[in-house]
Amino acid sequence: LRTTYLGRIAEAEDEATLEALRVEAVGKKGEVSLKMRELGKMSAEERQVMGPKLNALKDEINSALAAKKEALADSALDERLRAEWLDVTLPGRPRRTGTIHPVSQVTEEVTAIFADMGFAVAEGPQIDTDWYNFDALNIPSHHPARAEMDTFYMHRAEGDDRPPHVLRTHTSPVQIRHMEKHGAPCRIIAPGRVYRADYDQTHTPMFHQVEGLALDRDISMANLKWVLEEFFAAFFEVDGIKTRFRASHFPFTEPSAEVDIQCSWEGGQLKIGEGDGWLEVLGSGMVHPHVLRSGGVDPDEWQGFAFGMGIDRIAMLKYGIPDLRAFFDSDLRWLRHYGFRS
Ligand code: PHE
């Protein structure tokens, strides 16, 4: 019995065979166990001889099983180590990582520069009511500015009694939403997507603006000029960059100004911050009292400036990107070329 079992254990090649052997030999109904049960029927002398022998045999089989089990596990591990051998000195496979879109990059740059001047970021919905997009900004129903904006209107089913919604044509409605919620004083910028039905080399139906709004008791155009010049100097990395304020008109500011930055065109090469050329980059002005009132802010106590700037446009200028439409084509070669690595 002993030789058979020890022999078979030594030859076992896997754990399942070992387990079967354990059941067969020392399991409840195993051969050795059954023999031990028969001890009771033996004479005292026989029992004295056989008892210890059987016990010793059981122990021996159990430890043979345990030893073999460990040996099997060891060799399984050896086998894995051999099979899964890895050459850590091999060069890695190149992996294509994405890039940061110029619009995202520039939005972050703009946000960081204004944050340094104490401006927080505000947000508003891209689908807004025509009240926030127009009326609250002093653009009443039949004002020509509504037609000029090439507005996308949301379809309304018959019987829908919700107010008319539009894709916001500018980020200015965020001025109203922010004033309603937080009142004055305030210093915020609101970057985001805006929509107009227009398409050519410098216009896409969706583009990006950043709105600015600063309200306090004595904020003036001079503060606006300082903030914008500070911004352009930091953004275009040109100390003392010149700006030009041209009188203009927006229904939501009075007075209003369009702002140009200094540039030169030498040999077809555009340079920002030098020369005597001008590039228009934003609209601005002192917030109209009607607009303050729409936002629940008292124009007898508060005043301030607002501006709206095209993010895609300043991205094109800073990074020399010729065609606005390419921003939104999702062409991987373009994204790899103009995108930023984090
Ligand atoms: N909302 C204007 C536009 O989209 C820009 C602007 C914002 C002008 C704030 C003045 C004040 O053209």
Side-chain angles (χ1 to χ4, degrees):
L1 208 57
R2 178 175 174 273
T3 354
T4 335
Y5 278 117
L6 292 183
R8 285 173 66 193
I9 288 170
E11 274 157 30
E13 273 173 12
D14 52 51
E15 279 202 35
T17 314
L18 277 183
E19 178 58 15
L21 272 167
R22 189 191 63 78
V23 173
E24 192 182 332
V26 294
K28 253 190 198 148
K29 291 177 185 164
E31 212 170 346
V32 179
S33 312
L34 291 178
K35 286 226 157 24
M36 291 176 100
R37 229 170 284 166
E38 282 165 17
L39 285 171
K41 295 181 205 147
M42 294 178 186
S43 68
E45 294 89 60
E46 264 184 311
R47 195 168 25 210
Q48 252 178 11
V49 182
M50 288 306 286
K53 267 197 179 173
L54 283 171
N55 264 325
L57 177 58
K58 190 178 168 185
D59 288 347
E60 200 175 355
I61 288 174
N62 273 328
S63 44
L65 282 166
K68 182 69 184 185
K69 195 168 163 179
E70 210 177 292
L72 280 177
D74 279 354
S75 59
L77 183 61
D78 284 348
E79 183 52 39
R80 266 190 65 189
L81 287 174
R82 237 193 327 279
E84 295 173 14
W85 181 83
L86 185 71
D87 184 353
V88 294
T89 67
L90 280 176
R93 289 191 195 92
R95 253 219 270 176
R96 287 244 191 238
T97 49
T99 57
I100 294 166
H101 195 283
V103 170
S104 307
Q105 169 73 21
V106 165
T107 302
E108 273 174 33
E109 293 175 14
V110 169
T111 306
I113 295 168
F114 279 106
D116 282 346
M117 293 191 273
F119 286 74
V121 172
E123 282 187 330
Q126 294 176 38
I127 300 173
D128 213 339
T129 61
D130 63 352
W131 187 82
Y132 280 103
N133 196 78
F134 295 122
D135 303 74
L137 290 161
N138 199 31
I139 316 174
S141 287
H142 298 290
H143 196 285
R146 286 214 190 190
E148 280 161 27
M149 287 260 201
D150 303 306
T151 312
F152 287 112
Y153 285 86
M154 303 301 288
H155 173 73
R156 279 207 307 169
E158 219 178 304
D160 187 341
D161 52 7
R162 287 174 300 178
H165 282 68
V166 300
L167 293 182
R168 68 178 180 193
T169 58
H170 49 182
T171 42
S172 300
V174 185
Q175 289 187 33
I176 307 295
R177 288 183 173 276
H178 187 81
M179 284 190 265
E180 280 180 338
K181 251 197 176 157
H182 304 283
C186 80
R187 257 187 276 180
I188 52 129
I189 57 163
R193 298 184 163 188
V194 299
Y195 302 83
R196 289 180 203 176
D198 204 353
Y199 187 74
D200 61 34
Q201 191 173 342
T202 52
H203 297 90
T204 49
M206 182 281 294
F207 60 106
H208 299 81
Q209 285 189 337
V210 56
E211 193 79 7
L213 175 69
L215 299 177
D216 213 320
R217 293 197 160 79
D218 52 9
I219 286 193
S220 72
M221 278 307 253
N223 300 124
L224 170 67
K225 187 166 161 63
W226 182 85
V227 164
L228 290 178
E229 285 182 347
E230 199 72 7
F231 167 74
F232 289 126
F235 182 76
F236 289 109
E237 293 164 5
V238 183
D239 277 341
I241 186 172
K242 282 190 192 139
T243 59
R244 183 172 75 171
F245 282 58
R246 275 180 296 107
S248 181
H249 174 77
F250 299 102
F252 31 92
T253 45
E254 181 57 38
S256 303
E258 280 176 314
V259 179
D260 305 337
I261 51 169
Q262 182 190 13
C263 74
S264 73
W265 275 101
E266 259 164 51
Q269 172 81 352
L270 176 67
K271 290 221 176 88
I272 306 288
E274 57 171 62
D276 45 19
W278 297 103
L279 269 172
E280 184 192 328
V281 281
L282 61 82
S284 66
M286 297 301 291
V287 182
H288 197 291
H290 286 352
V291 174
L292 294 174
R293 252 177 243 119
S294 301
V297 168
D298 180 1
D300 291 329
E301 188 176 358
W302 305 100
Q303 62 184 38
F305 65 73
F307 62 84
M309 179 164 50
I311 293 183
D312 322 83
R313 186 164 168 72
I314 59 170
M316 290 167 81
L317 296 176
K318 179 165 178 180
Y319 295 110
I321 303 171
D323 190 333
L324 174 67
R325 290 171 295 195
F327 274 78
F328 312 117
D329 282 344
S330 302
D331 180 333
L332 283 179
R333 290 166 309 169
W334 188 93
L335 290 168
R336 255 176 232 128
H337 180 77
Y338 287 109
F340 294 80
R341 322 253 151 205
S342 52

